[in-house]
């Protein structure tokens, strides 16, 4: 599913009264604002998403968005994250394949301080060579820390999607090629108005809060036209992950439709069936993976999946749906996780909502479930096998 | 969010089961946490703790494995089994309406685990191939050496561990206060220890061999273990010269929580030795223990130690107040800045799951309800002194990845 083109006018869409109070605003420049009210919540979160349209990972730019995330967290004076922490605001960032996510968490009274920081992040940065070099050294230490599940996931994506599945993490070699000038250009592309979504969730008045965000984002313009996000074409395949221990299997899942819902259920069913197995899923409108993995043992995942009988799958069916629904509902109960999921979906396509997936999970029937289990078997799955001993 | 913790003890003398209730009117599910005291002071006990939990959740008499899976998925979360230095934990979520099931499943898991030889042997067969991450090694040192362990040993350990007086259960959710206590009271009123035959197997009789202490990964883990903080004495003896829990909590927060901590400023920003560096309070048989850990491709422990000591010496009231604010944020806002670590993946949060767990654990550990340590009376001199002793005297554990 491609990103919907930005509308040429501001569009206000209030949710029906029986739903949780949310207000989504699509500005003329393409930036989207979502404010969700969680009555009584003591935590307030502001999250900024910068989509990957026009800045997808390539072998040449592999990990440059990740490096930029590191630098952005430091802000203009190099100490934004620490300044915010001293104010009692927790500030962190994550780089996904489809978006960069910056998250502020604090109290409702700290909205203005968070928005001031957002403004700072959106302005063109001025990195010098020394700052970039120092951050590269920190990232080299980060590379040493990559956990097995991430290494396996990287390999599974590679198996499924090849170059278009490159992880956002990068490599030492690829990030070393980044230059301050290149990073400034990257910042401009990533934070193109049409690539930006701001989500605020907490005990806030939604109209007033939206009005506070608008001046920060609505006057930003760009002459550059954003390209559509290309769809990834995935396939089942098997690759070895020489630097990882364990095993992971990914099933291709695009969008939030019935097939993805069934695949998510199947993943949870398998994870519950196999001790210490985990599920990794980051929703993607353009081609993603639902991954089931195990990193505490080699050779204890695939063989079990291959040997699942119809009887086993029947026993897994109801719990699998409950677990998938439980995960989705859990995401929507707290301001921080709800903002995270909603923002990640909105930045890919304005029409994507977690409720769509929740409804689809409810509809998953026995036949669809069995078909989804089959997506984790060796002829359909993207398989990553760790060979580290 | 308002929530009320209520503690009860079943029975008058020698309560068979400690019961805690965490009432949360906003809860969307029920959470049950079962904690049993377990010693893991050597690699053999560690191995037993590692296999006992997974063996138990292979099924009970009334709930064979698939039924147990079905029942414990009704709250939307996968059943959790974890072993740490002083306890074994089994946690699961249920739908809000499943109160009867919560009572029944608690009883089943505590007294009626099947532990068939076949299923237990499968758990044992997998144990030698288990891998632990660098962070698991940092917080929960010591690998299990399961050589010679057999299903009879596991059965014996189950009876010995899940015995009257050694089990604490907490339930969290929106229910009538006292109801869980009453129902469990009926169930466990006449619970008496079961005579278990000690197999006196070679596992028990032969001396343990040193287990593999490496982890799979790049770089090296460095861990500096602080002095053990005796939790009961700290709470009850104001005049004690031993370090107290509030003191240790504050020291951990100043040492390694967040980007204004000593570890972040020195190890990452000044020395560039690591990307991730954290301090935590972790369970220990004698109380809790502060640990500072980082992973580095080029560890230089002595340079790091001197830099940290210098930073500690320069701590000010502002640093201390900031750390206090962080501790309060963890409690209020679910920000992951808790000094408490009970698993290697994340610190304690204020989720229903974690609030329920900490009540069960703390009751087992101290006999008391959990309350966040009040650091108001901790002085800057005291926290400096404690942190200096911790970093200066720690014998570094440096474990190379492979």
């Amino acid at each position: 599913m491609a990103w919907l083109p930005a509308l040429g006018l501001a569009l206000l869409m209030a949710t029906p009264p029986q739903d949780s109070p949310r207000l989504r605003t699509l500005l003329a420049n393409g930036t989207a604002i979502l404010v969700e009210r969680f009555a009584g919540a003591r935590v307030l979160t502001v999250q900024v998403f910068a989509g990957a349209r026009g800045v997808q990972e390539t072998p040449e730019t592999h990990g440059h968005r990740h490096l930029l995330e590191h630098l952005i967290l430091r802000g203009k004076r190099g100490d934004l994250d620490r300044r915010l922490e001293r104010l009692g605001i927790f500030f962190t960032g994550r780089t996904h394949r489809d978006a960069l996510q910056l998250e502020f968490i604090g109290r409702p009274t700290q909205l203005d301080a968070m928005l001031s920081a957002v403004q700072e992040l959106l302005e063109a940065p001025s990195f010098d060579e020394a700052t970039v070099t120092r951050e590269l050294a920190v990232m080299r230490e980060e590379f040493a820390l990559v956990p097995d599940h991430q290494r396996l996931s990287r390999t599974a994506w590679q198996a499924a999607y090849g170059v278009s599945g490159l992880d956002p993490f990068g490599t030492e070699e690829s990030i070393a090629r980044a230059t301050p000038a290149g990073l400034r250009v990257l910042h401009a592309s990533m934070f193109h108005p049409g690539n930006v979504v701001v989500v605020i969730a907490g005990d806030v008045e939604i109209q007033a809060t939206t009005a506070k965000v608008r001046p920060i984002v609505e006057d930003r313009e760009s002459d550059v036209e954003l390209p559509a996000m290309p769809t990834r074409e995935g396939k089942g395949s098997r690759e070895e992950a020489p630097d990882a221990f364990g095993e992971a299997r990914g099933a291709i899942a695009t969008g939030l439709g019935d097939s993805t819902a069934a695949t998510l259920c199947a993943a949870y069913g398998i994870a519950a069936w196999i001790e210490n197995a985990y599920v990794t899923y980051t929703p993607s409108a353009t081609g993603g993976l639902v991954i089931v993995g195990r990193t505490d043992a080699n050779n204890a995942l695939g063989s079990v999946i291959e040997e699942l009988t119809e009887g086993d799958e029947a026993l897994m069916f109801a719990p699998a749906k409950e677990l998938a629904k439980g995960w989705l509902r859990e995401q929507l109960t707290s301001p921080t996780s709800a903002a995270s999921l909603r923002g990640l979906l909105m930045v890919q396509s304005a029409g994507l909502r977690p409720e769509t997936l929740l409804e689809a999970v409810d509809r998953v029937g026995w036949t669809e479930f069995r078909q989804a289990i089959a997506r984790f078997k060796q002829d359909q799955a993207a398989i990553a096998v760790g060979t580290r001993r | 969010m308002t929530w009320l913790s209520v503690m009860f003890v079943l029975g008058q003398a020698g309560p068979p089961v400690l019961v805690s209730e965490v009432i949360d009117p906003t809860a969307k599910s029920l959470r049950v946490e079962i904690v049993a005291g377990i010693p893991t002071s050597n690699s053999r006990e560690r191995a037993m703790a590692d296999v006992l939990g997974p063996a138990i959740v292979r099924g009970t008499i009334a709930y064979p494995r698939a039924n147990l899976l079905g029942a414990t998925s009704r709250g939307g979360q996968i059943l959790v089994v974890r072993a740490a230095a002083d306890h074994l934990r089994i946690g699961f979520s249920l739908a809000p309406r499943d109160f009867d099931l919560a009572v029944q499943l608690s009883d089943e898991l505590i007294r009626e685990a099947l532990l068939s030889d076949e299923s237990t042997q499968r758990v044992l067969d997998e144990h030698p191939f288990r891998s632990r991450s660098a962070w698991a090694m940092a917080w929960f040192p010591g690998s299990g050496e399961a050589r010679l362990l057999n299903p009879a040993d596991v059965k014996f350990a189950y009876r010995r561990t899940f015995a009257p007086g050694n089990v604490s259960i907490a339930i969290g959710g929106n229910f009538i206060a006292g109801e869980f206590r009453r129902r469990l009271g009926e169930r466990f009123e006449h619970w008496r220890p079961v005579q278990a035959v000690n197999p006196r197997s070679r596992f028990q009789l032969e001396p343990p061999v040193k287990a593999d202490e490496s982890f799979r990964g790049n770089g090296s883990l460095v861990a500096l273990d602080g002095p053990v903080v005796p939790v009961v004495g700290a709470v009850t003896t104001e005049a004690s010269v031993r370090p107290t829990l509030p003191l240790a909590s504050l020291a951990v927060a100043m040492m390694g929580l967040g980007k204004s901590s000593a570890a972040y400023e020195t190890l990452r920003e000044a020395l560039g030795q690591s990307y991730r560096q954290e301090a935590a309070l972790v369970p220990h048989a004698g109380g809790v223990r502060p640990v500072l850990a980082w992973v580095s491709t080029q560890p230089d422990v002595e340079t790091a130690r001197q830099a940290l000591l210098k930073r500690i010496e320069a701590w000010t009231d502002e640093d201390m107040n900031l750390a206090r604010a962080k501790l309060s944020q963890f409690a209020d806002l679910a920000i992951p800045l808790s000094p408490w670590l009970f698993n290697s993946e994340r610190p304690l949060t204020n989720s229903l799951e974690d609030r329920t767990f900490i009540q069960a654990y703390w009751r087992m550990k101290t006999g008391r309800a959990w309350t966040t340590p009040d650091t108001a009376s901790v002085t800057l001199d005291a926290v400096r002194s404690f942190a200096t002793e911790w970093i200066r005297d720690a014998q570094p554990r440096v474990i190379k990845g492979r």
Side-chain angles (χ1 to χ4, degrees):
Chain A
M1 192 184 302
W3 169 275
L4 295 178
L7 299 181
L9 69 167
L11 184 63
L12 297 179
M13 283 172 281
T15 51
Q18 70 273 18
D19 209 344
S20 60
R22 291 190 298 279
L23 179 64
R24 191 177 58 167
T25 307
L26 208 51
L27 301 176
N29 63 4
T31 296
I33 303 168
L34 177 73
V35 180
E36 181 168 14
R37 178 159 191 258
F38 284 80
R42 287 192 283 189
V43 62
L44 173 76
T45 184
V46 174
Q47 300 191 20
V48 179
F49 295 82
R53 277 200 299 167
V55 291
Q56 302 94 310
E57 302 290 332
T58 66
E60 293 72 37
T61 63
H62 190 197
H64 291 197
R65 290 187 308 132
H66 179 203
L67 170 59
L68 188 60
E69 173 220 309
H70 273 240
L71 295 165
I72 286 172
L73 291 178
R74 292 183 178 278
K76 288 200 152 183
R77 286 168 21 203
D79 62 351
L80 179 63
D81 46 5
R82 280 168 287 165
R83 266 190 284 142
L84 288 170
E85 191 173 292
R86 287 188 177 275
L87 295 174
I89 298 169
F90 186 71
F91 177 37
T92 188
R94 295 178 203 95
T95 310
H96 309 282
R97 281 180 179 77
D98 294 323
L100 171 75
Q101 176 184 7
L102 301 166
E103 178 182 60
F104 303 85
I105 304 173
R107 297 176 194 276
T109 52
Q110 293 169 319
L111 175 62
D112 290 346
M114 293 187 213
L115 291 179
S116 169
V118 169
Q119 192 154 22
E120 184 175 336
L121 301 176
L122 293 175
E123 288 169 7
S126 54
F127 311 121
D128 58 34
E129 197 75 47
T131 306
V132 174
T133 303
R134 198 177 60 140
E135 207 55 45
L136 289 174
V138 170
M139 290 179 76
R140 271 193 283 276
E141 294 296 333
E142 187 180 6
F143 288 126
L145 266 178
V146 178
D148 281 326
H149 71 81
Q150 198 173 324
R151 294 175 194 274
L152 291 168
S153 169
R154 179 168 60 195
T155 305
W157 273 84
Q158 192 83 15
Y161 293 109
V163 172
S164 64
L166 273 178
D167 74 319
F169 207 65
T171 65
E172 278 190 52
E173 298 72 34
S174 62
I175 60 163
R177 288 195 291 268
T179 62
L183 289 167
R184 278 193 291 274
V185 173
L186 179 60
H187 182 279
S189 302
M190 278 173 68
F191 289 92
H192 181 291
N195 251 347
V196 171
V197 171
V198 180
V199 183
I200 298 176
D203 193 357
V204 290
E205 205 288 302
I206 55 176
Q207 296 277 5
T209 304
T210 303
K212 277 192 168 184
V213 182
R214 286 186 77 123
I216 296 170
V217 291
E218 73 180 345
D219 293 334
R220 302 178 69 246
E221 296 296 340
S222 173
D223 297 332
V224 181
E225 194 172 334
L226 276 178
M229 189 80 172
T231 302
R232 300 183 186 102
E233 296 295 335
K235 63 177 188 340
S237 183
R238 181 185 186 279
E239 281 195 20
E240 291 188 345
D243 53 355
F245 184 80
E247 186 180 356
R249 289 192 170 200
I252 288 157
T254 301
L256 302 182
D258 290 351
S259 170
T260 296
T263 305
L264 189 62
C265 292
Y268 269 103
I270 293 168
W273 193 257
I274 300 174
E275 191 193 321
N276 288 334
Y278 61 84
V279 176
T280 304
Y281 169 54
T282 306
S284 176
T286 52
L289 280 184
V290 180
I291 293 175
V292 182
R294 192 167 172 185
T295 58
D296 66 329
N298 257 349
N299 227 353
L301 182 86
S303 56
V304 180
I305 293 174
E306 294 304 323
E307 289 165 15
L308 286 173
T309 64
E310 187 173 355
D312 293 336
E313 292 170 15
L315 291 169
M316 288 159 59
F317 178 50
K321 287 186 68 169
E322 289 296 333
L323 291 169
K325 277 191 282 188
W327 174 74
L328 275 163
R329 286 191 185 124
E330 181 72 22
Q331 301 309 303
L332 299 178
T333 54
S334 86
T336 49
S337 56
S340 178
L341 183 56
R342 290 190 189 285
L344 193 58
L345 293 173
M346 272 183 76
V347 79
Q348 296 180 66
S349 173
L352 288 181
R353 299 162 64 245
E355 285 78 4
T356 307
L357 188 56
L358 197 52
E359 288 157 13
V361 167
D362 251 337
R363 286 195 301 271
V364 172
W366 169 237
T367 305
E368 293 79 27
F369 180 71
R370 291 209 72 204
Q371 288 167 348
I373 290 279
R375 286 180 205 125
F376 290 93
K377 299 209 173 190
Q378 60 185 358
D379 53 341
Q380 293 189 50
I383 302 173
V385 181
T387 56
R388 194 194 277 261
R389 291 286 175 259
Chain B
M1 188 187 297
T2 59
W3 55 277
L4 172 69
S5 174
V6 189
M7 310 292 300
F8 297 99
V9 175
L10 296 174
Q12 297 303 308
V17 178
L18 300 164
V19 181
S20 309
E21 294 180 346
V22 178
I23 311 289
D24 183 347
T26 68
K28 303 284 193 296
S29 60
L30 284 177
R31 181 73 191 179
V32 178
E33 292 284 345
I34 301 169
V35 174
I38 193 163
T40 56
S41 57
N42 64 42
S43 62
R44 176 158 297 164
E45 287 164 346
R46 172 88 220 180
M48 181 61 83
D50 285 344
V51 300
L52 182 55
I56 291 170
V57 299
R58 293 270 164 155
T60 70
I61 288 172
Y63 287 86
R65 182 156 179 262
N67 300 50
L68 188 63
L69 165 65
T72 56
S73 65
R74 292 164 66 147
Q77 286 184 300
I78 294 176
L79 180 144
V80 168
V81 180
R82 286 201 179 94
D86 59 352
H87 70 275
L88 180 65
R89 166 192 186 182
I90 301 174
F92 53 91
S93 295
L94 300 168
R97 63 184 180 280
D98 287 338
F99 197 80
D100 291 346
L101 187 59
V103 174
Q104 191 182 352
L105 279 178
S106 300
D107 189 354
E108 285 278 325
L109 289 163
I110 290 169
R111 294 196 286 193
E112 305 288 353
L114 273 176
L115 298 174
S116 73
D117 287 357
E118 186 191 1
S119 68
T120 303
Q121 191 59 52
R122 289 180 72 168
V123 176
L124 292 171
D125 290 344
E126 288 179 1
H127 185 269
F129 302 101
R130 291 272 172 92
S131 169
R132 300 178 71 205
S133 71
W135 297 103
M137 299 296 287
W139 312 128
F140 310 115
S143 292
E145 192 266 300
R147 192 177 56 98
L148 305 176
L149 181 58
N150 67 43
D153 292 307
V154 177
K155 267 187 191 147
F156 177 66
Y158 176 62
R159 291 298 176 205
R160 191 186 58 179
T161 304
F162 288 86
N166 197 44
V167 179
S168 174
I169 310 175
I171 184 167
N174 185 16
F175 52 89
I176 299 166
E179 186 64 7
F180 192 58
R181 165 192 174 260
R182 186 183 67 75
R183 300 287 297 279
L184 276 188
E186 290 167 5
R187 289 251 175 182
F188 285 94
E189 187 180 4
H190 303 296
W191 190 26
R192 298 290 177 267
V194 174
Q195 288 297 321
V197 178
N198 186 343
R200 298 196 184 284
S201 66
R202 290 176 63 199
F203 173 76
Q204 292 182 51
L205 299 174
E206 288 196 6
V209 298
K210 187 167 170 49
D212 176 20
E213 292 286 347
S214 65
F215 66 91
R216 290 183 173 89
N218 300 326
S220 294
L221 164 75
V222 182
L224 300 181
D225 300 329
V228 174
V229 179
V231 291
V232 176
V235 172
T236 56
T237 315
E238 283 185 18
S240 169
V241 294
R242 292 179 295 181
T244 64
L245 208 52
L247 172 60
S249 303
L250 199 53
V252 163
M254 294 173 77
M255 185 70 71
L257 291 193
K259 291 169 176 169
S260 50
S261 66
Y264 186 93
E265 289 179 357
T266 56
L267 300 174
R268 175 165 162 162
E269 294 296 289
L271 301 177
Q273 271 202 35
S274 71
Y275 167 72
R276 181 178 165 188
Q277 50 291 308
E278 287 178 20
L281 282 171
V282 298
H284 185 277
V288 295
R289 172 171 237 168
V291 178
L292 169 65
W294 67 97
V295 172
S296 177
T297 55
Q298 298 170 321
D300 180 347
V301 181
E302 289 316 311
T303 300
R305 195 198 303 263
Q306 292 313 314
L308 286 165
L309 288 170
K310 206 169 163 186
R311 182 67 188 95
I312 292 165
E313 185 60 32
W315 273 348
T316 63
D317 283 324
E318 190 191 351
D319 293 316
M320 191 166 67
N321 291 335
L322 182 59
R324 284 200 178 103
K326 280 187 225 169
L327 292 174
S328 115
Q329 276 181 312
F330 134 68
D332 286 355
L333 303 184
I335 289 175
L337 282 179
S338 162
W340 296 92
L341 260 173
F342 292 94
N343 73 67
S344 56
E345 290 142 31
R346 59 172 177 80
L348 196 73
T349 69
N350 74 349
S351 66
L352 179 67
E353 171 189 343
D354 283 1
R355 280 183 280 136
T356 306
F357 164 72
I358 192 68
Q359 290 297 351
Y361 172 77
W362 208 246
R363 186 68 162 162
M364 183 278 294
K365 186 85 173 168
T366 69
R368 290 162 179 261
W370 161 261
T371 51
T372 306
D374 181 359
T375 63
S377 61
V378 176
T379 66
L380 183 59
D381 282 346
V383 79
R384 262 201 214 121
S385 168
F386 177 81
T388 300
E389 184 188 335
W390 166 12
I391 299 304
R392 186 193 61 211
D393 298 346
Q395 291 295 317
R397 285 188 283 128
V398 182
I399 303 172
K400 199 163 167 40
R402 65 178 168 88

